[in-house]
Amino acid sequence: MTIREKLEERERQTLSPMASLSAESRGRQFPAEPCPIRTEYQRDRDRIIHSKSFRRLKHKTQVFLSPEGDHYRTRLTHTLEVSQIGRTIARALGLNEDLVEAAAMGHDIGHTPFGHAGEYALREICPLGFDHNEQSVRVAERLENDGKGLNLTWEVRDAIRCHSSGCPSAQTFEGRVLRYADKIAYINHDIEDAIRAGVLTEEDIPFDIKYVLGRTKSDRITALVMNIVENSADDITMSPEMQKTYERLISFMFEAVYRNPKAKGEEGKARDLVKYLYTHFTAHVEKMPEEYRRIAEQEGAERAACDYISGMSDRYAVSLCEELLIPKFWQL
């Protein structure tokens, strides 16, 4: 037996009947020889981690636009926290940790610069619409690796596509774990970042929320994870009381942070910048890199502009706008 086959056999013997076994994956877009060492989901994780779109996450906004401090989250550190929480839940439930990790690593690779401000801007201006979860799948299937894609398994792509609220549930339990891990990660690290930025204090969090979840980030994450583990049987779920508390926390964060001018005051500029880039490149397709000009020929300028802009880091988008808008001084 190869090492991979031994790992597949270990999965059969140790994982829950609800788990997605690597050996029983629905497969990839294009046939590929199995790896002698890694299972299919381990291989997907590695393909994502080694991709350019994954590396660019380190310079994409999570909540605070291009934060100067070393300890604020970026889209990359958010991704790592989602992966850690997802693996913890998966391990406790006997699910496939490798599938959860691979999907977590790829769930935001199609996210825009400037966080959700960039996403909303493209959604508003592009007639095709825009959702970062669908774009993440498109990056994996179409854009990465010089247009060849990453050729990920069906299960990983399904989990990525379905991780956002408002989307249908993923077909695998691991994909449903990812959705909860994403929620738990972002709400808790956004609280911590907001406290660091002076936008919020622990004392501002309503008592009824602290009564259920605890008073620290660690307490909150532990309470949410434990509740999911204890209440998940035929599906991945929270108890009704915990779901109500989580929704109460989300509402509080929208009031205190997500709509706070101190935290989000620059988002209007970010939206305008993204819309300007979209308008410019749909009108001047020839100004985009060759790979996006090819997409424009095949799928239209709107699709190509969305692909190009959503792949930009915050700093690249700002630098490009400066290049397009600010005149250069004449040099002798």
Side-chain angles (χ1 to χ4, degrees), residues 75-327:
R75 191 63 56 176
L76 178 59
T77 55
H78 160 73
T79 293
L80 298 177
E81 293 184 30
V82 172
S83 175
Q84 176 269 313
I85 292 171
R87 287 191 68 118
T88 298
I89 297 172
R91 184 181 300 119
L93 294 174
L95 301 176
N96 196 316
E97 293 181 51
D98 293 328
L99 172 51
V100 173
E101 183 180 30
M105 290 300 180
H107 83 284
D108 272 353
I109 57 174
H111 216 299
T112 55
F114 311 118
H116 289 293
E119 180 177 23
Y120 298 153
L122 285 181
R123 188 179 298 166
E124 289 169 6
I125 197 169
C126 178
L128 303 174
F130 186 90
D131 291 288
H132 78 272
N133 55 310
E134 292 289 349
Q135 187 67 17
S136 294
V137 175
R138 179 171 170 80
V139 169
E141 292 181 343
R142 175 74 170 82
L143 303 181
E144 263 292 342
N145 197 21
D146 297 322
K148 300 173 185 176
L150 299 174
N151 197 23
L152 304 179
T153 58
W154 181 91
E155 291 80 8
V156 170
R157 287 179 282 132
D158 175 67
I160 291 172
R161 176 176 284 113
C162 298
H163 81 266
S164 296
S165 297
C167 298
S169 294
Q171 294 295 304
T172 63
F173 274 54
E174 289 83 359
R176 298 174 196 181
V177 165
L178 171 62
R179 182 182 288 200
Y180 276 107
D182 186 34
K183 293 174 183 290
I184 294 171
Y186 84 70
I187 196 66
N188 282 289
H189 62 49
D190 289 355
I191 291 172
E192 189 171 59
D193 282 358
I195 291 172
R196 177 172 289 108
V199 175
L200 191 67
T201 68
E202 286 282 1
E203 289 69 33
D204 294 329
I205 301 173
F207 176 78
D208 60 317
I209 295 174
K210 288 188 282 192
Y211 181 78
V212 176
L213 296 180
R215 295 180 175 273
T216 68
K217 180 188 71 172
S218 178
D219 289 341
R220 289 188 294 269
I221 292 175
T222 299
L224 289 163
V225 168
M226 285 296 297
N227 189 268
I228 291 171
V229 170
E230 291 168 353
N231 286 276
S232 296
D234 297 331
D235 199 357
I236 307 299
T237 188
M238 293 178 182
S239 68
E241 179 191 18
M242 186 60 76
Q243 183 65 41
K244 183 178 179 181
T245 301
Y246 175 81
E247 291 171 359
R248 172 92 169 88
L249 180 57
I250 288 289
S251 297
F252 165 74
M253 285 294 288
F254 267 97
E255 294 174 13
V257 178
Y258 300 143
R259 297 195 184 104
N260 188 318
K262 184 177 179 181
K264 313 297 272 184
E266 296 295 301
E267 281 198 355
K269 296 178 185 178
R271 288 196 191 202
D272 290 344
L273 186 153
V274 168
K275 289 181 179 180
Y276 169 77
L277 290 175
Y278 176 85
T279 301
H280 176 80
F281 287 117
T282 50
H284 301 282
V285 173
E286 73 282 359
K287 300 293 185 180
M288 287 191 283
E290 182 182 355
E291 60 189 292
Y292 298 102
R293 296 200 299 271
R294 289 198 300 267
I295 292 172
E297 293 175 0
Q298 298 165 3
E299 303 179 57
E302 294 87 358
R303 180 74 272 164
C306 279
D307 288 342
Y308 184 32
I309 295 166
S310 64
M312 296 178 184
S313 64
D314 294 9
R315 61 178 63 183
Y316 181 81
V318 170
S319 175
L320 188 56
C321 231
E322 289 176 345
E323 181 181 323
L324 293 171
L325 287 172
I326 299 176

